[in-house]
Amino acid sequence: MRKMNIVVAGLGYVGTANAVTAARYNKVTAVDKLPWKAELLNQGRPPVADALAEKFLKSYELDICAVTEGTECYSGADLVIIATPTDPLDGRLDTSSVESVIGQVTAVNPDAVIVIRSTVPIGFTDYAAKKYNTESILFCPEFLREGSALYDELNPSRIVVGFPQGSGAAEEKAHGFANLLLQGVEKKDVPIMVMNSSEAESVKLFSNTYLAMRIAFFNELDAFAEHGGLNTRNIIDGVCGDLRIGNYYNNPSFGYGGYCLPKDSRQLLGELDGMPNDIIEAAIRSNVSRTEYIAEQILERAGRCGKKSVVGFYRLTMKSDSDNLRNSSSLEIIKALQHRGVSVIVYEPAVKDPVIFHCPVIEDIDDFKRESDVIAANRYGRELDDVWDKVYTRDVYFRN
């Protein structure tokens, strides 16, 4: 069977996982406008923190290369996967990078199948199919975690593919792409769900918003327990012993953050304008309240030191195995502390600059521990064991 010529646009977590997976059996060209990302991939190193992707790039002979301009490679592509960022603009997902790729592909290669894996507003795929007059555009939501995106790509919980409403040709291509994904996974018996694209787009936004609500719920449980001098873990273990609830996504934190949950929940809230949205709106408000609550707890602890205290933030990433600082809940807490005149320092190996958000970055962990009067840790690290008495964390399971 001949190799497909696949182009992956965007080298974040999703794009990198897709490129590495596809390159095991096909010829892959990855496109990212940031030269350092393309350079890293061409050196056999993933441009994101993903241990399995790093292992694959070292262990397998992958037919993959990276470039910074995609027009030429789009012209010869059988399949183009779009995984470019859709960062919020004025509170809504900005799809300009996705539209840019679609426009380039349809201009030079109208026969290529285009698969959007970026998160987009509900109805976007239908809109794009009409605007660019194509029946070769699909939406396939990703359900990947930062730091383990390749593992999740190889072991999916389900494969969802959406096609524009009323397009029989696109529906056939959706089934074909779903089967293509199925061939590359390691997990057996993966459910395939083919539906119209607006339904698939809804699956993505409602899934992430549910996860945000779940985090907010257990954070409110934690605040109740902390305020009453109760053991948070005992309560959570008891609650999650109910199989209908399940023992997952229940470790308290400083608030949900990262790239996906904040923007996706706000996007969905906007989609529900004029319809019942009380639970979703409450989850977003709850997350704001959580960061304010954590800031107050840290302030109280710093005040007990009896002097102008220095608060050290141990890691800013949302997860211990991630290098992504975007929309970290710790950043909002730092802003609140700085507004109160508190001195803040940071230990974050993912940051190469000496200062971030007006906070000195301390490179040496021992110096960081010595200079900090209080250490705030969204996720605890065993290297803090010797200064446990300084640490403020709500991480009761010592896991993500």
Side-chain angles (χ1 to χ4, degrees), residues 95-381:
T95 59
S96 58
S97 67
V98 177
E99 286 206 54
S100 175
V101 176
I102 296 171
Q104 292 176 61
V105 175
T106 53
V108 299
N109 187 359
D111 295 325
V113 176
I114 300 171
V115 180
I116 302 170
R117 303 215 72 185
S118 306
T119 304
V120 295
I122 298 169
F124 175 82
T125 306
D126 279 346
Y127 154 81
K130 292 176 182 176
K131 178 177 179 178
Y132 296 97
N133 191 29
T134 177
E135 289 191 278
S136 296
I137 188 167
L138 309 171
F139 177 72
C140 178
E142 49 81 18
F143 308 104
L144 311 180
R145 298 167 295 172
E146 294 178 5
S148 57
L150 180 56
Y151 176 87
D152 293 338
E153 183 73 5
L154 296 173
N155 299 274
S157 56
R158 71 279 201 205
I159 292 172
V160 177
V161 184
F163 59 92
Q165 183 78 29
S167 173
E171 182 176 3
E172 184 177 345
K173 291 170 184 175
H175 283 281
F177 181 70
N179 288 324
L180 180 67
L181 288 181
L182 193 62
Q183 292 171 10
V185 305
E186 296 179 349
K187 183 180 177 182
K188 305 302 180 185
D189 302 321
V190 179
I192 290 179
M193 306 173 188
V194 174
M195 58 191 72
N196 77 53
S197 53
S198 291
E199 291 165 349
E201 291 156 351
S202 300
V203 168
K204 173 63 176 180
L205 292 182
F206 274 97
S207 293
N208 274 353
T209 302
Y210 174 79
L211 294 176
M213 291 191 300
R214 188 175 172 99
I215 292 170
F217 175 86
F218 283 105
N219 280 342
E220 290 195 0
L221 182 159
D222 174 62
F224 167 79
E226 184 180 29
H227 182 75
L230 307 177
N231 186 307
T232 293
R233 181 165 180 169
N234 284 345
I235 301 174
I236 292 177
D237 286 346
V239 169
C240 293
D242 188 325
L243 297 181
R244 296 170 299 176
I245 297 173
N247 188 29
Y248 62 93
Y249 244 74
N250 57 1
N251 191 20
S253 66
F254 287 174
Y256 66 77
Y259 181 60
C260 293
L261 301 193
K263 71 179 180 68
D264 291 3
S265 56
R266 290 187 179 279
Q267 175 67 33
L268 182 57
L269 182 63
E271 301 272 5
L272 295 175
D273 186 31
M275 292 177 281
N277 56 30
D278 302 283
I279 296 174
I280 295 168
E281 186 176 24
I284 294 171
R285 288 201 312 268
S286 175
N287 201 50
V288 174
S289 299
R290 178 63 171 179
T291 56
E292 293 171 350
Y293 171 81
I294 294 295
E296 290 296 329
Q297 297 302 110
I298 295 171
L299 276 170
E300 181 181 333
R301 183 152 182 170
R304 293 201 298 265
C305 293
K307 58 178 179 176
K308 185 172 175 58
S309 301
V310 175
V311 174
F313 271 76
Y314 173 78
R315 307 301 308 266
L316 298 179
T317 55
M318 288 304 303
K319 299 174 64 178
S320 58
D321 52 1
S322 170
D323 61 351
N324 183 13
L325 277 62
R326 290 176 295 186
N327 296 312
S328 167
S329 55
S330 293
L331 299 179
E332 295 303 315
I333 297 167
I334 287 174
K335 292 176 188 176
L337 295 176
Q338 289 174 327
H339 184 71
R340 305 284 186 89
V342 176
S343 297
V344 178
I345 62 176
V346 168
Y347 173 74
E348 177 49 79
V351 173
K352 305 306 179 186
D353 298 322
V355 175
I356 183 171
F357 295 98
H358 310 291
C359 304
V361 177
I362 310 301
E363 293 185 4
D364 184 84
I365 185 63
D366 292 323
D367 290 343
F368 169 78
K369 290 188 286 189
R370 184 171 52 254
E371 295 178 30
S372 301
D373 297 300
V374 177
I375 296 175
N378 182 48
R379 288 293 174 250
Y380 187 76

